């Protein structure tokens, strides 16, 4: 049996260190299980020529997978792309706050204090896969602040593009925000079975291809 003890209360010198500590909260034996699970799924997908889907239940599992995948793709460099379509969670229950046994219903009202999940984009871009092509998304319900927040995210996290979408119109149009300008992408209304993602993916693939060529020059 391997037992690994993590002190979550340690102060972190940087966001990268904080993110790495949160990822490392999993006991080592679970990390090995996750890696083994990923390898089995990968071989199966390659053999069948199918899409590799990686299910997860907790923020810890997601961060483990993201880190393993990103670091595995480091050697691929600009040929890899991260298409981060949604925030997995804004808040989580820290490992040290989780109870080991069943919470008794007769113990009175239950108060849960959630901690904010650190933004992983900065760590992904600077540490885990610095040369990969990275697309993030920004969803808002208020169109007045959408473009401003998308532009701020582009500069703050240094991603290659941010897909800005408003909740009420996200299935009809989105705006791809990048350093080269903003591009409005719309669904083809004359085609009932079309999706806005059809044109969005074509644009992203074209941008990624250009990025690969420029990186190799």
């Amino acid at each position: 049996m391997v037992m690994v003890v993590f002190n979550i209360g340690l102060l972190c010198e940087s966001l990268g260190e904080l993110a790495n500590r949160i990822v490392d909260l999993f006991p080592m034996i679970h990390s090995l299980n996750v890696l083994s699970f990923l390898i089995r799924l990968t071989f199966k997908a390659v053999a069948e020529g199918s899409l590799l889907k990686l299910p997860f239940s907790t923020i810890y599992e997601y961060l483990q997978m993201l880190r393993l995948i990103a670091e595995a793709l480091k050697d691929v460099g600009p040929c890899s792309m991260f298409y981060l379509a949604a925030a997995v969670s804004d808040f989580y229950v820290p490992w040290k706050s989780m109870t080991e046994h069943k919470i008794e219903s007769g113990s009175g009202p239950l108060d849960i204090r959630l901690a904010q999940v650190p933004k992983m984009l900065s760590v992904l871009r600077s540490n885990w896969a610095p040369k990969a092509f990275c697309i993030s998304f920004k969803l808002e319900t208020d169109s007045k602040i959408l473009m401003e927040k998308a532009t701020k995210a582009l500069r703050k996290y240094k991603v290659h593009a941010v897909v800005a979408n408003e909740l009420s119109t996200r299935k009809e149009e989105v705006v791809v925000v990048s350093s080269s300008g903003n591009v409005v992408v719309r669904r083809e209304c004359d085609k009932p079975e079309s999706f806005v993602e059809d044109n969005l993916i074509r644009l992203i693939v074209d941008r990624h291809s250009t990025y690969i060529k420029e990186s190799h020059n």
Side-chain angles (χ1 to χ4, degrees):
M1 176 181 291
V2 178
M3 180 177 292
V4 181
V5 179
F6 297 99
N7 186 349
I8 307 177
L10 292 176
L11 295 177
C12 302
E13 297 178 356
S14 65
L15 176 61
E17 184 183 352
L18 173 60
N20 283 325
R21 285 191 187 281
I22 288 183
V23 172
D24 288 338
L25 291 179
F26 260 159
M28 186 178 296
I29 188 65
H30 188 83
S31 298
L32 295 176
N33 287 339
V34 170
L35 181 58
S36 175
F37 174 68
L38 291 178
I39 292 174
R40 290 198 305 273
L41 286 182
T42 301
F43 275 106
K44 184 175 185 296
V46 171
E48 298 176 354
S50 59
L51 176 67
L52 176 59
K53 296 182 179 181
L54 303 177
F56 61 90
S57 301
T58 69
I59 187 66
Y60 299 105
E61 290 174 328
Y62 171 75
L63 295 180
Q64 279 280 340
M65 290 183 183
L66 180 61
R67 180 180 177 181
L68 288 170
I69 292 169
E71 292 183 340
L73 290 174
K74 260 189 177 180
D75 292 338
V76 180
C79 292
S80 62
M81 177 173 69
F82 287 84
Y83 187 83
L84 306 170
V88 177
S89 177
D90 290 324
F91 299 93
Y92 78 115
V93 179
W95 194 270
K96 66 178 181 180
S97 300
M98 293 185 183
T99 180
E100 181 179 357
H101 302 290
K102 177 181 177 295
I103 300 175
E104 296 297 331
S105 59
S107 57
L110 178 63
D111 294 324
I112 299 178
R113 184 178 180 83
L114 300 178
Q116 190 170 12
V117 174
K119 302 297 183 181
M120 305 305 299
L121 280 174
S122 295
V123 184
L124 176 66
R125 291 286 296 123
S126 60
N127 298 343
W128 295 350
K131 295 182 180 180
F133 191 71
C134 191
I135 305 295
S136 69
F137 280 63
K138 176 60 67 175
L139 173 68
E140 295 292 341
T141 56
D142 186 354
S143 60
K144 297 178 182 178
I145 65 173
L146 175 60
M147 297 309 299
E148 178 184 355
K149 296 192 73 171
T151 302
K152 285 183 178 180
L154 180 75
R155 295 170 180 168
K156 181 177 181 179
Y157 301 116
K158 296 180 174 59
V159 293
H160 297 92
V162 176
V163 179
N165 53 126
E166 186 183 346
L167 183 62
S168 61
T169 60
R170 71 189 188 284
K171 294 184 179 180
E172 299 298 324
E173 72 171 41
V174 298
V175 181
V176 178
V177 180
S178 68
S179 58
S180 60
N182 301 342
V183 178
V184 178
V185 180
R186 294 186 175 89
R187 183 179 71 84
E188 297 180 41
C189 298
D190 57 332
K191 298 180 180 179
E193 297 182 357
S194 69
F195 297 93
V196 67
E197 288 84 1
D198 297 334
N199 291 329
L200 174 61
I201 293 301
R202 279 192 284 269
L203 175 62
I204 296 301
V205 169
D206 182 64
R207 293 283 182 91
H208 186 208
S209 298
T210 301
Y211 175 71
I212 293 174
K213 292 177 182 177
E214 292 176 348
S215 299
H216 289 161
N217 290 338

